[in-house]
Amino acid sequence: MNTETDRVDTKLVDVAKRAGCSPATVSRVLNNNPKVGLGVRERVLKAATDLGYVPNGSARALRSTRTRLVGAIIPTLDHAIYATMVNSLQKRLAERDVSIIISTSFYDIDMELEQARLLVERGAEAIVLVGSTHRPETLAMLEQRNIPYVYTYTSDATAVGAAVGFDNVKAGRMAARYLLDLGHTRLAMIAGITHDNDRAASRRNGFIEELVRSGLTKTDIPVVESAYKIEGGRAGMQALMAAERTPTAIFCGSDIIAAGAIKYCHEKGLSVPRDVSILGFDNLEIAELTTPDLTTVEVPAREMGTIAGDYLLATPAQRVHMRQRDLPLRLVVRTSTAPVAR
């Protein structure tokens, strides 16, 4: 039976074969030996990245002789979408005996700054953040102390930090295009709170941009904002359906908001999707518990956590080729959406 060392050595050999060099050369590159030529170095790093190879003990990239500790600051643990990402991240780091401390910011970037300071004081050697909107002081502190950081839920990296996520503008466009293709022209959105939330704002912007590009007028696309709560979705739906020109399809910034919108329809005797189609975002478990089942855009939460962990475990040389990952989104069609009634 192969040991862990045997498996790692085998993967190193695979990298060597792919790069067209010896395993010893691969080892020198991954240990930043300056005697390896630039062309060979680039081939090795690309091969290692393509194969997902992280050398055993590579948590030295986290200054492993010290705390072997990563901090993660997420907006909330109230919704499973962040828990899924964090579980995946924790599992990946645990494979190299790296621990994680989790803090929640409640969507407050000032609170996030204080949490980042506390995590660094406790010895966190890398930080995982959500989104790309943060206090400049937060990033400056991490960069000045040479602490690696990685954004999740966005694919917009900084000049120093990495990003593992997806294009939120593209997500909004995907939702708009799907509803347009069903024949809907009276569309609306219940977005998340966009203040200091680049993800919610970008999804809203992408949704509107696609509709305008298709010939709709921006002033004819009502948008209300809601906290990620069922009652917020219900209130948002109530506001939209009170308008003189009611929408036939609504894109919700989260499945939680969509569940609240569907609840309002049940209370008022509106049929989903005959009277109004409702589209969610995230693909949480609740999407299959609503009546009808919720059509939604699936977020690659599990993949984000794993790949963010890979980045933090990699050597500095490997990270150069891992700084930005734009993961694909998937539309999950269920029964809460249908072609517009003629």
Short mmCIF file of all heavy atoms in Angstrom, two decimals, residues 145-171:
data_model
loop_
_atom_site.label_atom_id
_atom_site.label_comp_id
_atom_site.label_asym_id
_atom_site.label_seq_id
_atom_site.Cartn_x
_atom_site.Cartn_y
_atom_site.Cartn_z
N ARG A 145 2.58 43.84 6.23
CA ARG A 145 3.12 42.74 7.05
C ARG A 145 3.40 41.49 6.23
O ARG A 145 3.71 40.43 6.79
CB ARG A 145 2.13 42.41 8.17
CG ARG A 145 1.84 43.59 9.09
CD ARG A 145 1.11 43.17 10.33
NE ARG A 145 0.76 44.32 11.16
CZ ARG A 145 0.41 44.25 12.42
NH1 ARG A 145 0.37 43.07 13.02
NH2 ARG A 145 0.09 45.33 13.11
N ASN A 146 3.26 41.62 4.91
CA ASN A 146 3.55 40.51 4.01
C ASN A 146 2.70 39.27 4.32
O ASN A 146 3.18 38.14 4.31
CB ASN A 146 5.04 40.14 4.05
CG ASN A 146 5.46 39.33 2.83
OD1 ASN A 146 4.88 39.47 1.75
ND2 ASN A 146 6.45 38.47 3.02
N ILE A 147 1.42 39.51 4.61
CA ILE A 147 0.49 38.43 4.91
C ILE A 147 -0.35 38.16 3.67
O ILE A 147 -1.08 39.04 3.21
CB ILE A 147 -0.41 38.79 6.11
CG1 ILE A 147 0.44 38.91 7.38
CG2 ILE A 147 -1.52 37.76 6.30
CD1 ILE A 147 -0.32 39.38 8.59
N PRO A 148 -0.27 36.97 3.09
CA PRO A 148 -1.05 36.67 1.89
C PRO A 148 -2.54 36.75 2.18
O PRO A 148 -3.00 36.41 3.27
CB PRO A 148 -0.65 35.23 1.56
CG PRO A 148 0.61 34.98 2.30
CD PRO A 148 0.55 35.84 3.53
N TYR A 149 -3.30 37.23 1.21
CA TYR A 149 -4.75 37.23 1.35
C TYR A 149 -5.39 36.83 0.02
O TYR A 149 -4.81 37.02 -1.04
CB TYR A 149 -5.29 38.58 1.84
CG TYR A 149 -5.02 39.76 0.92
CD1 TYR A 149 -5.94 40.10 -0.08
CD2 TYR A 149 -3.88 40.54 1.07
CE1 TYR A 149 -5.72 41.20 -0.91
CE2 TYR A 149 -3.66 41.63 0.25
CZ TYR A 149 -4.58 41.95 -0.74
OH TYR A 149 -4.35 43.03 -1.55
N VAL A 150 -6.58 36.27 0.13
CA VAL A 150 -7.29 35.82 -1.06
C VAL A 150 -8.76 36.18 -0.94
O VAL A 150 -9.37 35.97 0.11
CB VAL A 150 -7.10 34.29 -1.29
CG1 VAL A 150 -7.50 33.47 -0.08
CG2 VAL A 150 -7.85 33.82 -2.52
N TYR A 151 -9.29 36.79 -1.99
CA TYR A 151 -10.71 37.10 -2.05
C TYR A 151 -11.47 35.85 -2.51
O TYR A 151 -10.97 35.07 -3.32
CB TYR A 151 -10.99 38.19 -3.07
CG TYR A 151 -10.45 39.56 -2.76
CD1 TYR A 151 -10.40 40.53 -3.75
CD2 TYR A 151 -10.00 39.91 -1.48
CE1 TYR A 151 -9.92 41.81 -3.50
CE2 TYR A 151 -9.53 41.18 -1.22
CZ TYR A 151 -9.49 42.13 -2.24
OH TYR A 151 -9.01 43.38 -1.99
N THR A 152 -12.69 35.70 -2.03
CA THR A 152 -13.60 34.68 -2.54
C THR A 152 -14.90 35.37 -2.98
O THR A 152 -15.13 36.53 -2.68
CB THR A 152 -13.91 33.62 -1.47
OG1 THR A 152 -14.42 34.29 -0.29
CG2 THR A 152 -12.66 32.83 -1.09
N TYR A 153 -15.71 34.65 -3.74
CA TYR A 153 -16.99 35.16 -4.27
C TYR A 153 -16.80 36.31 -5.26
O TYR A 153 -17.74 37.02 -5.58
CB TYR A 153 -17.93 35.59 -3.14
CG TYR A 153 -18.42 34.40 -2.35
CD1 TYR A 153 -17.68 33.92 -1.27
CD2 TYR A 153 -19.56 33.71 -2.71
CE1 TYR A 153 -18.08 32.80 -0.56
CE2 TYR A 153 -19.98 32.59 -2.01
CZ TYR A 153 -19.23 32.14 -0.95
OH TYR A 153 -19.63 31.02 -0.26
N THR A 154 -15.59 36.49 -5.73
CA THR A 154 -15.30 37.44 -6.80
C THR A 154 -14.06 36.96 -7.53
O THR A 154 -13.23 36.25 -6.94
CB THR A 154 -15.06 38.86 -6.24
OG1 THR A 154 -14.75 39.75 -7.33
CG2 THR A 154 -13.90 38.89 -5.26
N SER A 155 -13.93 37.32 -8.79
CA SER A 155 -12.73 36.96 -9.54
C SER A 155 -11.85 38.18 -9.78
O SER A 155 -10.93 38.14 -10.60
CB SER A 155 -13.13 36.33 -10.89
OG SER A 155 -14.00 37.18 -11.63
N ASP A 156 -12.09 39.28 -9.06
CA ASP A 156 -11.31 40.50 -9.20
C ASP A 156 -10.17 40.52 -8.19
O ASP A 156 -10.37 40.84 -7.01
CB ASP A 156 -12.20 41.74 -8.99
CG ASP A 156 -13.28 41.86 -10.06
OD1 ASP A 156 -13.02 41.43 -11.19
OD2 ASP A 156 -14.37 42.38 -9.75
N ALA A 157 -8.96 40.19 -8.64
CA ALA A 157 -7.79 40.20 -7.77
C ALA A 157 -7.22 41.61 -7.67
O ALA A 157 -7.51 42.47 -8.49
CB ALA A 157 -6.74 39.23 -8.32
N THR A 158 -6.39 41.84 -6.65
CA THR A 158 -5.65 43.10 -6.55
C THR A 158 -4.25 42.87 -7.12
O THR A 158 -3.91 41.77 -7.55
CB THR A 158 -5.54 43.57 -5.09
OG1 THR A 158 -4.64 42.68 -4.38
CG2 THR A 158 -6.89 43.58 -4.40
N ALA A 159 -3.44 43.91 -7.09
CA ALA A 159 -2.06 43.78 -7.58
C ALA A 159 -1.25 42.84 -6.70
O ALA A 159 -0.24 42.28 -7.14
CB ALA A 159 -1.40 45.15 -7.64
N VAL A 160 -1.71 42.64 -5.46
CA VAL A 160 -0.97 41.80 -4.51
C VAL A 160 -1.76 40.55 -4.13
O VAL A 160 -1.23 39.45 -4.11
CB VAL A 160 -0.62 42.61 -3.24
CG1 VAL A 160 0.07 41.71 -2.20
CG2 VAL A 160 0.28 43.79 -3.59
N GLY A 161 -3.04 40.73 -3.81
CA GLY A 161 -3.86 39.62 -3.35
C GLY A 161 -4.44 38.81 -4.49
O GLY A 161 -4.47 39.24 -5.65
N ALA A 162 -4.91 37.63 -4.14
CA ALA A 162 -5.50 36.71 -5.13
C ALA A 162 -7.02 36.77 -5.05
O ALA A 162 -7.60 37.34 -4.12
CB ALA A 162 -5.02 35.29 -4.85
N ALA A 163 -7.68 36.18 -6.04
CA ALA A 163 -9.15 36.09 -6.06
C ALA A 163 -9.55 34.74 -6.61
O ALA A 163 -9.10 34.33 -7.68
CB ALA A 163 -9.75 37.21 -6.89
N VAL A 164 -10.40 34.05 -5.88
CA VAL A 164 -10.95 32.76 -6.31
C VAL A 164 -12.47 32.88 -6.21
O VAL A 164 -13.02 32.93 -5.11
CB VAL A 164 -10.45 31.60 -5.42
CG1 VAL A 164 -11.10 30.29 -5.85
CG2 VAL A 164 -8.94 31.49 -5.48
N GLY A 165 -13.12 32.96 -7.35
CA GLY A 165 -14.56 33.14 -7.31
C GLY A 165 -15.18 33.14 -8.69
O GLY A 165 -14.82 32.34 -9.54
N PHE A 166 -16.07 34.10 -8.91
CA PHE A 166 -16.79 34.16 -10.18
C PHE A 166 -17.12 35.61 -10.50
O PHE A 166 -16.97 36.51 -9.66
CB PHE A 166 -18.07 33.31 -10.11
CG PHE A 166 -18.97 33.66 -8.97
CD1 PHE A 166 -19.98 34.61 -9.10
CD2 PHE A 166 -18.81 33.05 -7.73
CE1 PHE A 166 -20.80 34.94 -8.04
CE2 PHE A 166 -19.64 33.37 -6.65
CZ PHE A 166 -20.63 34.32 -6.80
N ASP A 167 -17.56 35.83 -11.72
CA ASP A 167 -17.89 37.16 -12.21
C ASP A 167 -19.34 37.47 -11.86
O ASP A 167 -20.26 36.90 -12.44
CB ASP A 167 -17.67 37.21 -13.74
CG ASP A 167 -17.85 38.60 -14.31
OD1 ASP A 167 -18.64 39.38 -13.76
OD2 ASP A 167 -17.22 38.88 -15.35
N ASN A 168 -19.55 38.37 -10.91
CA ASN A 168 -20.91 38.67 -10.45
C ASN A 168 -21.72 39.44 -11.49
O ASN A 168 -22.93 39.29 -11.56
CB ASN A 168 -20.85 39.44 -9.14
CG ASN A 168 -20.52 38.56 -7.96
OD1 ASN A 168 -21.38 37.86 -7.43
ND2 ASN A 168 -19.25 38.55 -7.56
N VAL A 169 -21.06 40.24 -12.31
CA VAL A 169 -21.76 40.92 -13.40
C VAL A 169 -22.29 39.88 -14.38
O VAL A 169 -23.44 39.94 -14.83
CB VAL A 169 -20.83 41.92 -14.11
CG1 VAL A 169 -21.50 42.47 -15.37
CG2 VAL A 169 -20.46 43.07 -13.17
N LYS A 170 -21.46 38.92 -14.69
CA LYS A 170 -21.87 37.84 -15.60
C LYS A 170 -23.04 37.06 -15.01
O LYS A 170 -23.94 36.62 -15.73
CB LYS A 170 -20.69 36.90 -15.86
CG LYS A 170 -20.96 35.83 -16.91
CD LYS A 170 -19.77 34.88 -17.03
CE LYS A 170 -18.53 35.58 -17.51
NZ LYS A 170 -17.38 34.65 -17.68
N ALA A 171 -23.04 36.88 -13.68
CA ALA A 171 -24.15 36.17 -13.03
C ALA A 171 -25.46 36.92 -13.23
O ALA A 171 -26.50 36.32 -13.53
CB ALA A 171 -23.85 36.02 -11.54
#
